[in-house]
Amino acid sequence: MQQIITDIRRTLLDNADEKTLSLSSHFFKENERAKTYGVRMALVSKIGKGFFLKIKNMAKVQIFGLCEELWQSGYLEESVIACELAYSLHKQYEPDDFEIFERWVANYVDNWAACDTLCNHTIGEFVKMYPGYISRLKGWATSGNRWMRRAAAVTLIIPARKGLFLNDIFEIATILLHDKDDLVQKGYGWMLKAASEAHQEEVFDFVVRHKATMPRTSLRYAIEKMPQDMKAEAMKKEK
């Protein structure tokens, strides 16, 4: 297994370029910058898919162990490959896998890109398969760890677009409603925006009901895909 890790890292180094490395810093605040090789994300995903084909016959526990080691490196590209490998096993997900995914969020996620990559696909697919675990996301929403709180929301982005779990989405948004962290505000605003694709009126009503105290960042995200008249009503400040 160590040879696979070595090969992944060599491939990333071989595909790194200074321009991508320089540009990557623009996507993160000064104190939130991810450690990167400087490989384009589309290429990182392709590399991850390629390596999965080489190891797809390994046991799930071995592949998850490989993912763990990639996460431990702290490099964004390695975390993205870990997510790619883990998601490629989604047909094999079992309830106990949640503990592994939760550990990755709690122990390794340290930037929004790693958070969203892991949660949108790997954990999002898991909760679609095992919706009883959404209750655990509500626990994340009260965590002192900002990435756990963001994860509580962004895990539901893809299910939200499909019209799923609306009541749970509103419950998580309510827990996070007055969060002071801008990345958490953006996270739950994004979740509401995704939910509005299938439940526009319901999300609009939620936003209007809470607009007096909802951070403007969250509000703007939530209404982004709504018609102009709805946006105007939602943005109108109370007298």
Side-chain angles (χ1 to χ4, degrees), residues 120-138:
N120 285 175
H121 301 288
T122 303
I123 308 180
E125 185 64 28
F126 177 92
V127 298
K128 275 175 58 185
M129 295 170 67
Y130 302 105
Y133 281 83
I134 293 176
S135 63
R136 297 282 289 272
L137 301 184
K138 295 169 188 175

Side-chain angles (χ1 to χ4, degrees), residues 100-156:
I100 296 170
F101 302 150
E102 183 174 60
R103 183 174 70 247
W104 292 351
V105 178
N107 293 351
Y108 304 129
V109 168
D110 62 0
N111 62 80
W112 64 261
C115 182
D116 297 358
T117 303
L118 174 60
C119 295
N120 285 175
H121 301 288
T122 303
I123 308 180
E125 185 64 28
F126 177 92
V127 298
K128 275 175 58 185
M129 295 170 67
Y130 302 105
Y133 281 83
I134 293 176
S135 63
R136 297 282 289 272
L137 301 184
K138 295 169 188 175
W140 293 5
T142 66
S143 172
N145 180 334
R146 69 189 304 204
W147 304 117
M148 296 288 282
R149 300 199 308 278
R150 181 178 172 96
V154 300
T155 290
L156 294 179

Side-chain angles (χ1 to χ4, degrees), residues 72-189:
Q72 288 170 356
S73 75
Y75 276 95
L76 176 60
E77 291 93 341
E78 292 193 35
S79 71
V80 170
I81 290 175
C83 294
E84 190 71 52
L85 298 179
Y87 179 72
S88 295
L89 295 170
H90 66 270
K91 291 182 180 178
Q92 299 180 43
Y93 288 170
E94 300 168 283
D96 287 350
D97 294 334
F98 187 84
E99 307 300 330
I100 296 170
F101 302 150
E102 183 174 60
R103 183 174 70 247
W104 292 351
V105 178
N107 293 351
Y108 304 129
V109 168
D110 62 0
N111 62 80
W112 64 261
C115 182
D116 297 358
T117 303
L118 174 60
C119 295
N120 285 175
H121 301 288
T122 303
I123 308 180
E125 185 64 28
F126 177 92
V127 298
K128 275 175 58 185
M129 295 170 67
Y130 302 105
Y133 281 83
I134 293 176
S135 63
R136 297 282 289 272
L137 301 184
K138 295 169 188 175
W140 293 5
T142 66
S143 172
N145 180 334
R146 69 189 304 204
W147 304 117
M148 296 288 282
R149 300 199 308 278
R150 181 178 172 96
V154 300
T155 290
L156 294 179
I157 297 294
I158 293 177
R161 288 174 180 158
K162 297 178 179 179
L164 301 175
F165 311 137
L166 185 63
N167 290 336
D168 298 301
I169 286 165
F170 287 152
E171 189 172 340
I172 289 171
T174 301
I175 295 169
L176 298 173
L177 192 66
H178 301 127
D179 201 292
K180 302 298 185 187
D181 191 304
D182 69 319
L183 287 173
V184 178
Q185 293 171 8
K186 291 173 182 177
Y188 88 77

Side-chain angles (χ1 to χ4, degrees), residues 15-31:
N15 285 278
D17 67 82
E18 285 298 324
K19 182 179 179 181
T20 301
L21 183 61
S22 176
L23 286 173
S24 68
S25 65
H26 298 169
F27 296 102
F28 302 93
K29 292 182 179 179
E30 184 68 35
N31 62 339

